[in-house]
Short mmCIF file of all heavy atoms in Angstrom, two decimals:
data_model
loop_
_atom_site.label_atom_id
_atom_site.label_comp_id
_atom_site.label_asym_id
_atom_site.label_seq_id
_atom_site.Cartn_x
_atom_site.Cartn_y
_atom_site.Cartn_z
N HIS A 15 19.28 2.97 -1.70
CA HIS A 15 20.62 3.34 -1.26
C HIS A 15 20.98 4.74 -1.83
O HIS A 15 21.46 5.65 -1.06
CB HIS A 15 21.66 2.30 -1.58
CG HIS A 15 23.07 2.71 -1.28
ND1 HIS A 15 23.53 2.75 -0.02
CD2 HIS A 15 24.07 3.14 -2.09
CE1 HIS A 15 24.84 3.14 -0.02
NE2 HIS A 15 25.13 3.45 -1.26
N LYS A 36 26.97 6.36 12.67
CA LYS A 36 26.46 5.05 12.99
C LYS A 36 27.27 4.37 14.14
O LYS A 36 26.69 3.68 15.00
CB LYS A 36 26.49 4.12 11.77
CG LYS A 36 25.48 4.43 10.72
CD LYS A 36 25.36 3.38 9.62
CE LYS A 36 26.69 3.20 8.87
NZ LYS A 36 26.55 2.23 7.74
N LEU A 41 21.61 6.91 18.32
CA LEU A 41 20.31 7.60 18.43
C LEU A 41 20.16 8.55 17.28
O LEU A 41 19.05 8.57 16.64
CB LEU A 41 20.21 8.32 19.75
CG LEU A 41 18.86 8.92 20.06
CD1 LEU A 41 17.73 7.91 20.12
CD2 LEU A 41 18.95 9.73 21.35
N MET A 42 21.20 9.24 16.95
CA MET A 42 21.09 10.18 15.74
C MET A 42 20.96 9.42 14.45
O MET A 42 20.18 9.79 13.56
CB MET A 42 22.34 11.07 15.68
CG MET A 42 22.31 12.08 14.55
SD MET A 42 23.75 13.13 14.56
CE MET A 42 23.44 14.09 13.09
N LEU A 47 17.37 7.64 9.94
CA LEU A 47 16.69 6.50 9.26
C LEU A 47 15.18 6.71 9.38
O LEU A 47 14.44 6.46 8.32
CB LEU A 47 17.10 5.15 9.85
CG LEU A 47 18.58 4.78 9.66
CD1 LEU A 47 18.87 3.52 10.54
CD2 LEU A 47 18.88 4.52 8.22
N SER A 69 -8.35 -11.99 -0.58
CA SER A 69 -8.23 -13.15 0.26
C SER A 69 -9.06 -14.25 -0.34
O SER A 69 -9.56 -14.15 -1.44
CB SER A 69 -8.76 -12.79 1.71
OG SER A 69 -10.06 -12.41 1.68
N CYS A 78 -8.40 5.78 -3.74
CA CYS A 78 -8.05 6.73 -2.74
C CYS A 78 -8.00 8.12 -3.31
O CYS A 78 -6.95 8.56 -3.83
CB CYS A 78 -6.67 6.40 -2.12
SG CYS A 78 -6.60 4.63 -1.56
N TYR A 87 -16.41 -3.99 -2.47
CA TYR A 87 -16.18 -5.27 -1.76
C TYR A 87 -16.87 -6.32 -2.59
O TYR A 87 -18.02 -6.18 -3.03
CB TYR A 87 -16.84 -5.15 -0.36
CG TYR A 87 -16.81 -6.47 0.37
CD1 TYR A 87 -15.63 -7.05 0.81
CD2 TYR A 87 -18.00 -7.15 0.56
CE1 TYR A 87 -15.63 -8.23 1.47
CE2 TYR A 87 -18.03 -8.36 1.27
CZ TYR A 87 -16.85 -8.90 1.73
OH TYR A 87 -16.80 -10.10 2.43
N ILE A 115 -21.53 -14.54 -6.63
CA ILE A 115 -20.69 -13.36 -6.38
C ILE A 115 -21.56 -12.18 -6.04
O ILE A 115 -22.50 -11.83 -6.75
CB ILE A 115 -19.76 -13.00 -7.61
CG1 ILE A 115 -18.96 -14.21 -8.01
CG2 ILE A 115 -18.96 -11.80 -7.32
CD1 ILE A 115 -18.28 -14.10 -9.38
N SER A 121 -18.52 4.75 -0.15
CA SER A 121 -17.45 5.75 -0.03
C SER A 121 -17.51 6.31 1.38
O SER A 121 -18.57 6.26 1.98
CB SER A 121 -17.57 6.80 -1.08
OG SER A 121 -18.75 7.56 -0.90
N ASN A 129 -3.18 10.03 3.97
CA ASN A 129 -2.01 9.12 3.89
C ASN A 129 -1.95 8.17 5.09
O ASN A 129 -1.55 7.03 4.92
CB ASN A 129 -0.72 9.93 3.76
CG ASN A 129 -0.58 10.54 2.37
OD1 ASN A 129 -1.46 10.38 1.46
ND2 ASN A 129 0.46 11.31 2.15
N SER A 140 -3.08 -4.78 2.34
CA SER A 140 -3.51 -4.24 1.02
C SER A 140 -2.29 -3.93 0.20
O SER A 140 -1.19 -3.65 0.74
CB SER A 140 -4.30 -2.93 1.06
OG SER A 140 -5.55 -3.17 1.65
N PHE A 148 -10.26 -2.47 -10.04
CA PHE A 148 -11.25 -1.52 -9.50
C PHE A 148 -12.03 -0.89 -10.66
O PHE A 148 -13.28 -0.86 -10.62
CB PHE A 148 -10.54 -0.43 -8.72
CG PHE A 148 -11.51 0.59 -8.16
CD1 PHE A 148 -11.90 0.45 -6.83
CD2 PHE A 148 -12.00 1.61 -8.89
CE1 PHE A 148 -12.85 1.38 -6.29
CE2 PHE A 148 -12.84 2.54 -8.37
CZ PHE A 148 -13.33 2.42 -7.04
#
Side-chain angles (χ1 to χ4, degrees):
H15 175 75
K36 289 191 299 185
L41 189 59
M42 184 178 175
L47 294 171
S69 61
C78 310
Y87 174 70
I115 303 168
S121 64
N129 288 357
S140 293
F148 182 96

